[in-house]
Amino acid sequence: MADMSRRVKAAGGLKPSSIQCNASMSTGELNTAVSKAKRIDSECAPGFESAKDVFASRDARALEDAKTVLNAKKDVAG
């Protein structure tokens, strides 16, 4: 969890600035917006990976707990 906090802090928080694209924007402005979006995406990627790790760990723990409860019920029934 501390690793995830460090990565979020390094990325500048969880809410990146918004990027708007309008039909009236020039090609240069649109390319600038694309570059900004790619930069934000690359900055946030480590945080997304940390979040996936946290959820995977949580899910593995929940599965292990469910198996333990199931085995205990089987022992009582058997």
Side-chain angles (χ1 to χ4, degrees):
M1 195 62 128
D3 185 45
M4 183 174 171
S5 295
R6 275 193 305 276
R7 289 180 179 189
V8 168
K9 188 174 182 180
L14 293 173
K15 293 185 178 181
S17 59
S18 64
I19 300 169
Q20 295 190 8
C21 296
N22 300 314
S24 62
M25 293 172 72
S26 70
T27 302
E29 290 171 321
L30 291 170
N31 285 333
T32 299
V34 167
S35 295
K36 185 175 180 182
K38 286 181 179 179
R39 181 181 49 79
I40 290 170
D41 186 55
S42 68
E43 289 173 354
C44 293
F48 295 145
E49 288 303 314
S50 291
K52 284 185 207 175
D53 293 343
V54 168
F55 291 132
S57 175
R58 179 204 61 193
D59 294 345
R61 177 61 189 211
L63 179 61
E64 190 60 37
D65 289 348
K67 286 179 179 179
T68 300
V69 169
L70 177 61
N71 287 331
K73 296 290 182 181
K74 285 174 25 181
D75 291 342
V76 169

